[in-house]
Amino acid sequence: MRGVVFDGKRLEVVDDLEVREPGPGEVQVAISAAGLCHSDLSVVDGTIPFPVPVVLGHEGAGVVEAVGAGVTHVRVGDHVALSTLANCGTCAECDRGRPTMCRQAIGRPGQPFVQGGRPVHQFASNSAFAERTVVKAVQAVRIPKDIPLPAAALIGCGVLTGVGAVLNRARVDRGDSVLVIGTGGIGLNVIQGARIAGALRIVAVDANPAKEAVARQFGATHFLTSTQAVKEILPTGADHAFECVGRVELIRQAIDLLDRHGQAVLLGVPAATAEASFLVSSMYLDKSILGCRYGSSRPQRDIALYADLYREGRLLLDELVTETYPIEDFEKAKADAEAGRVARGVLTF
């Protein structure tokens, strides 16, 4: 079967990939569509260290092909969106409703694939850039069959991360002010999460002025090409500032632009060794800096919620799919994503 493999030096579409059958508590999914996220590209450029060779992709949707023993919540033929959380479901963190903190779901890459006789790693417990993948049952969330799979694919990362950061981590409230730095796939989902939450002013910042129209479509009330004029719109600062780019200087700007009691939420991914600075004295008015993994999501609950919001017209998904690419055109999809020409490109099989 076909898949996108990175061997540490080369990134290519191969056609000799194999995946094992699902074991107990696992599901095999035929991938129909997979979003190309910057986290995939960050493995290639070294920003996210990961063992190789690896099948990339972590934002996918498809159709259940087979289920292992003990799996009852999905059946063959069901449409599913995939999450990256291979959480155990039984530890203290899972029991508290914090599956993103489950230690079974962090840094334990498996090797369900084989290419040319050698095992190949699975990225983010998912590997959606393959015609078929095997995931833990908890990662497969059934969705209504009337939701287009290219749109549904984006729920599994961009929506869970961006909207989840607003609703679950920051807990934006009605009337709050929100600053969003970076309007790529994650930033747009932060914007629409803030709109859904009832934020009064949503200020989007992106160096590319061509992104203004889509930012406003998703819910931005203001658009700027730098943070310099934010205080003209929010004189006392923002209640919530989301950094969605992954640059330490922008993290500093997000913190500096907070109102008293404000919180900066870090969603962009800089290099693993990157360090950011801030004025300690600026924090004593109850300000906070919050890390956020995967939107602090509970995928079995949240994916179903977002699917319902989409069907009601409150959550935009089709508008996120800027371009679709057959898997053979992966290099073009990668180039468009790196150049910022698309909010989210989707690979199709």
Side-chain angles (χ1 to χ4, degrees):
M1 68 176 185
R2 294 169 299 171
V4 178
V5 176
F6 177 57
D7 66 3
K9 295 180 180 179
R10 296 182 58 200
L11 178 66
E12 62 178 336
V13 178
V14 303
D15 60 9
D16 58 346
L17 199 63
E18 299 176 26
V19 67
R20 62 171 174 78
E21 294 296 313
E26 294 181 332
V27 176
Q28 185 180 90
V29 178
I31 299 295
S32 296
L36 177 55
C37 173
H38 277 279
S39 293
D40 300 303
L41 303 179
S42 292
V43 174
V44 178
D45 67 22
T47 301
I48 297 178
F50 206 86
V52 294
V54 57
V55 179
L56 293 179
H58 64 284
E59 189 179 63
V63 180
V64 174
E65 277 198 336
V67 299
V71 177
T72 59
H73 75 290
V74 294
R75 297 181 296 180
V76 172
D78 282 346
H79 287 199
V80 293
L82 301 183
S83 87
T84 66
L85 288 183
N87 58 295
C88 70
T90 59
C91 69
E93 297 295 350
C94 287
D95 192 51
R96 293 186 183 105
R98 298 194 298 230
T100 57
M101 295 296 104
C102 174
R103 284 168 171 79
Q104 296 295 322
I106 300 176
R108 294 174 181 265
Q111 294 177 304
F113 299 98
V114 173
Q115 183 197 14
R118 66 173 180 172
V120 180
H121 288 93
Q122 185 173 40
F123 180 53
S125 302
N126 191 307
S127 289
F129 291 169
E131 290 186 273
R132 290 183 300 281
T133 191
V134 170
V135 298
K136 289 186 67 172
V138 72
Q139 296 175 252
V141 184
R142 188 171 60 235
I143 56 173
K145 291 186 177 180
D146 60 351
I147 297 180
L149 288 171
L154 304 188
I155 299 177
C157 177
V159 175
L160 281 177
T161 299
V163 178
V166 173
L167 302 182
N168 301 326
R169 187 65 168 130
R171 297 185 182 273
V172 172
D173 202 358
R174 292 166 296 177
D176 285 354
S177 59
V178 173
L179 170 64
V180 183
I181 301 176
T183 62
I186 299 299
L188 290 175
N189 278 298
V190 171
I191 290 170
Q192 70 171 334
R195 169 178 52 77
I196 291 168
L200 182 62
R201 284 171 293 177
I202 304 170
V203 182
V205 177
D206 198 291
N208 184 354
K211 293 186 176 183
E212 178 173 2
V214 69
R216 290 187 180 275
Q217 180 184 19
F218 275 72
T221 59
H222 301 78
F223 183 90
L224 302 169
T225 54
S226 78
T227 59
Q228 293 180 355
V230 169
K231 283 295 186 73
E232 296 177 15
I233 301 166
L234 305 174
T236 61
D239 295 316
H240 312 273
F242 295 83
E243 201 281 342
C244 306
V245 180
R247 289 169 46 187
V248 293
E249 66 271 23
L250 296 178
I251 291 173
R252 173 60 183 268
Q253 291 172 30
I255 296 168
D256 288 346
L257 287 166
L258 292 175
D259 196 357
R260 55 183 64 193
H261 70 71
Q263 51 189 15
V265 183
L266 311 186
L267 296 178
V269 182
T273 56
E275 297 183 1
S277 65
F278 60 91
L279 290 175
V280 176
S281 60
S282 72
M283 302 302 294
Y284 291 117
L285 290 172
D286 287 357
K287 298 181 184 181
S288 305
I289 302 171
L290 304 179
C292 183
R293 181 170 190 256
Y294 204 41
S296 301
S297 298
R298 286 181 277 176
Q300 288 289 337
R301 178 201 67 170
D302 290 350
I303 289 176
L305 168 64
Y306 299 150
D308 284 343
L309 288 171
Y310 167 77
R311 297 173 87 193
E312 292 177 3
R314 298 172 60 192
L315 182 81
L316 305 183
L317 291 179
D318 302 306
E319 295 80 358
L320 281 169
V321 183
T322 315
E323 188 79 41
T324 58
Y325 307 83
I327 187 64
E328 293 81 6
D329 289 344
F330 176 77
E331 284 298 328
K332 183 177 187 304
K334 176 175 175 289
D336 286 349
E338 289 174 330
R341 289 189 288 266
V342 294
R344 214 40 147 220
V346 175
L347 301 176
T348 58
F349 292 90

